[in-house]
Amino acid sequence: EVQLVESGGGLVQPGRSLRLSCAASGFIFDDYAMHWVRQAPGKGLAWVSSISWDSGIIDYADSVKGRFTISRDNAKNSLYLQMNNLRPEDTALYFCTKTTAYYSGMDVWGQGTTVIVSS
Amino acid sequence: EIVLTQSPGTLSLSPGERATLSCRASQSVASNYLAWYQQKPGQAPRLLIYAASTRATGIPDRFSGSGSGTDFTLTISRLEPDDFAVYHCQQYTSSPHTFGQGTKVEIK
């Protein structure tokens, strides 16, 4: 079964850091691009960051550029999102997703991990 | 940045009716790199359509996508009870890979 399982969310104070992880299974992880998408409470979806299969292409939303770092470890079938200098507006459910190519629809989604930034 | 505007915000229809959802882009979406997703409360989104008109694996043929350039449409030919949900469009032709704000299809 193709599966993505996020972890690492939690309650954190503004200005602090958090690292999200996404464990992939059921497919050849290093064949595919991976992405992070977030959804603030009661809001729509917002793309956060993308990384190609070999980490050769990396993109960020302007709202997180310079604060968030996406990475992957193909040997561990894992995707990461290092989030520094967190802000209250980063509060959201963070989804890990997979695409068949870097530029493609997101065909597999995890269930998400919740990040709450509050003092 | 390509801004996607979905309309209407809410669509109130009855089971069996046809649903037509619009997604308009602020600039042309090259190669029709546009996807549609369905999201139910408390669940992750599910890919319905990619490349504007190609159904994803396992998606029933009552769902169809059309359009090109800046105007795209998702049509649900005959609504079933399971189809009442929020629908999102997304362009992936250029970074940032923006989403629309969503259309809620609710039971009338």
Side-chain angles (χ1 to χ4, degrees):
Chain A
E1 180 191 6
V2 174
Q3 196 171 13
L4 297 172
V5 179
E6 302 92 337
S7 61
L11 173 63
V12 62
Q13 293 179 328
R16 304 297 291 265
S17 299
L18 211 54
R19 188 195 197 205
L20 305 185
S21 299
C22 172
S25 60
F27 64 98
I28 302 173
F29 183 71
D30 54 9
D31 273 357
Y32 299 101
M34 299 294 295
H35 315 264
W36 289 99
V37 174
R38 68 185 181 184
Q39 188 169 35
K43 301 297 184 182
L45 301 172
W47 170 79
V48 174
S49 183
S50 299
I51 186 168
S52 61
W53 68 275
D54 63 350
S55 304
I57 305 173
I58 289 176
D59 286 308
Y60 298 99
D62 285 346
S63 58
V64 307
K65 202 172 294 183
R67 299 188 299 123
F68 290 12
T69 301
I70 191 171
S71 62
R72 63 190 296 161
D73 185 336
N74 288 344
K76 295 183 177 179
N77 291 343
S78 293
L79 175 73
Y80 306 101
L81 187 67
Q82 177 67 42
M83 303 186 296
N84 298 331
N85 190 21
L86 282 160
R87 304 168 179 168
E89 55 265 35
D90 295 319
T91 293
L93 180 62
Y94 284 74
F95 295 103
C96 165
T97 77
K98 162 193 167 291
T99 53
T100 53
Y102 191 80
Y103 296 102
S104 186
M106 298 176 177
D107 62 341
V108 180
W109 293 66
Q111 284 304 303
T113 186
T114 298
V115 173
I116 300 173
V117 184
S118 174
S119 54
Chain B
E1 172 178 330
I2 298 178
V3 177
L4 299 180
T5 302
Q6 293 187 241
S7 61
T10 302
L11 199 52
S12 299
L13 295 168
S14 301
E17 289 193 294
R18 181 185 189 90
T20 304
L21 288 65
S22 172
C23 178
R24 179 161 291 177
S26 60
Q27 54 189 281
S28 183
V29 178
S31 303
N32 291 337
Y33 279 176
L34 186 115
W36 289 94
Y37 303 87
Q38 177 194 67
Q39 187 179 27
K40 298 176 184 177
Q43 295 186 18
R46 174 175 70 146
L47 177 65
L48 298 176
I49 302 286
Y50 63 94
S53 61
T54 303
R55 272 188 300 276
T57 302
I59 301 303
D61 60 8
R62 66 180 181 275
F63 292 93
S64 63
S66 63
S68 64
T70 60
D71 288 300
F72 299 89
T73 301
L74 174 70
T75 302
I76 310 171
S77 59
R78 294 172 309 279
L79 282 164
E80 296 196 359
D82 192 49
D83 298 338
F84 292 92
V86 176
Y87 292 83
H88 308 270
C89 61
Q90 182 217 7
Q91 66 79 23
Y92 48 90
T93 193
S94 64
S95 182
H97 301 179
T98 45
F99 286 87
Q101 81 278 19
T103 290
K104 182 179 181 180
V105 179
E106 65 176 22
I107 299 177
K108 186 175 182 180

